[in-house]
Amino acid sequence: MERRTEDRQTAERVAEDAGRHEQVGEQDEVAQRRGRLESALSAGSASARLRAALQAGTAPEPGDAEVLVRRCGEEPDFFVRDMLTWSLTRHPVEAVVPLLLAELGSAVAQARSQALHTLSKIGDPRAWRALTAALLTDADDEVARAAWRTAVALAPASERPQLAEVLAGQLGRGDQDVQRSLSRALVELGGAAEAAVRRAAETGAVRGSAGVVPQAQDRDRVRTHALATEALRRDPELDFAAAVEEAKRVSVMGVRTSAAGMEDGDPE
């Protein structure tokens, strides 16, 4: 009886040891694979890095997501970054989304913008709660643009008017590419953005996290951008540069009309 008990205990210990060795072996294999992936994604050739990112998405493996997310903040090539995003969309959402959300607090602008871009592709609702006003008004244009696109894609209907106020607070910001991105985001919000954009078009002042724009030059810039946005809302296929030029003409005409009215004794 005692011999059978000892044999059973020995067998259990052997099984436990085998399980531990197997687990250690799996961990070593994961660590080795991650090392190979990190090395491939750091290759000097962009085409080699592109192939590595493609492979990581074609055959997703546990542990790869962390490497891919970290590389997103470092990769200099646009096409490789886009492939990294594609690869991350092929991994389990539960493994990827927490890593991306953590990146939104990174001090590296590219890490924030690429995390936002990837979250917009995944479409997980948790990302909406992480889209703070700080991200929507980020000083880095690429981060802000990515935040606008992601917010518009994920915002619940009840939150869209408030989102429109924050986005309208950025009217007049940046170069034409930045302004085009903001206008497209506001157009996608549809009716929820009409009041905020109309107010900016009429007054050149905005109410949002950026506050009210006081200087006359800034008001003209805001007004022009808002008018161009309204033109895009009426005709989404309209060329943005043409919309801006038309908005400038309308804005100048409005200023001249207002000035003429004041000279005729009209009330201000």
Side-chain angles (χ1 to χ4, degrees):
M1 183 68 176
E2 290 180 0
R3 180 61 180 271
R4 285 198 298 272
T5 300
E6 290 176 359
D7 290 345
R8 185 172 65 254
Q9 292 173 342
T10 299
E12 289 173 352
R13 285 196 297 272
V14 169
E16 289 175 0
D17 289 343
R20 281 195 294 270
H21 285 307
E22 183 178 354
Q23 185 177 15
V24 170
E26 291 175 352
Q27 291 173 345
D28 288 343
E29 183 179 346
V30 169
Q32 291 173 5
R33 185 176 61 251
R34 287 178 61 176
R36 290 193 296 270
L37 179 59
E38 287 175 344
S39 178
L41 290 174
S42 301
S45 166
S47 60
R49 300 196 303 275
L50 188 69
R51 288 193 298 272
L54 173 63
Q55 178 59 29
T58 303
E61 295 285 351
D64 288 355
E66 186 176 346
V67 177
L68 294 168
V69 169
R70 183 165 60 250
R71 185 62 195 177
C72 280
E74 304 168 352
E75 174 56 50
D77 186 90
F78 170 81
F79 295 103
V80 178
R81 290 200 302 273
D82 216 37
M83 186 61 74
L84 289 168
T85 284
W86 174 82
S87 182
L88 285 165
T89 65
R90 304 271 296 172
H91 285 71
V93 171
E94 292 304 320
V96 173
V97 169
L99 296 172
L100 294 172
L101 294 178
E103 286 292 278
L104 298 183
S106 172
V108 179
Q110 181 176 301
R112 299 196 302 277
S113 64
Q114 198 65 26
L116 285 162
H117 175 63
T118 307
L119 285 167
S120 73
K121 297 298 183 182
I122 294 173
D124 191 281
R126 284 173 291 181
W128 165 249
R129 295 192 293 272
L131 285 167
T132 61
L135 286 169
L136 293 167
T137 61
D138 198 285
D140 186 276
D141 286 339
E142 291 308 309
V143 175
R145 293 171 74 183
W148 300 337
R149 291 191 296 268
T150 306
V152 168
L154 298 179
S158 61
E159 301 289 341
R160 291 167 83 83
Q162 180 57 37
L163 172 61
E165 290 289 343
V166 177
L167 296 191
Q170 299 291 288
L171 284 165
R173 168 180 175 163
D175 61 19
Q176 194 165 101
D177 285 339
V178 173
Q179 292 192 8
R180 181 187 294 109
S181 294
L182 181 57
S183 291
R184 293 296 182 190
L186 286 163
V187 168
E188 287 187 39
L189 284 175
E194 285 185 20
V197 174
R198 187 182 306 114
R199 183 190 317 118
E202 291 172 351
T203 67
V206 292
R207 291 189 321 194
S209 60
V212 176
V213 178
Q215 292 82 10
Q217 183 179 359
D218 289 338
R219 287 200 302 272
D220 289 342
R221 186 174 174 84
V222 169
R223 184 183 295 111
T224 298
H225 191 185
L227 287 168
T229 303
E230 287 196 319
L232 282 181
R233 183 175 58 81
R234 292 190 297 271
D235 181 6
E237 300 302 319
L238 186 64
D239 177 72
F240 182 73
V244 169
E245 290 306 312
E246 176 62 16
K248 287 179 180 178
R249 186 183 68 82
V250 171
S251 183
V252 168
M253 287 179 61
V255 170
R256 287 175 179 171
T257 301
S258 176
M262 291 175 66
E263 289 176 0
D264 291 340
D266 289 348
E268 293 185 7

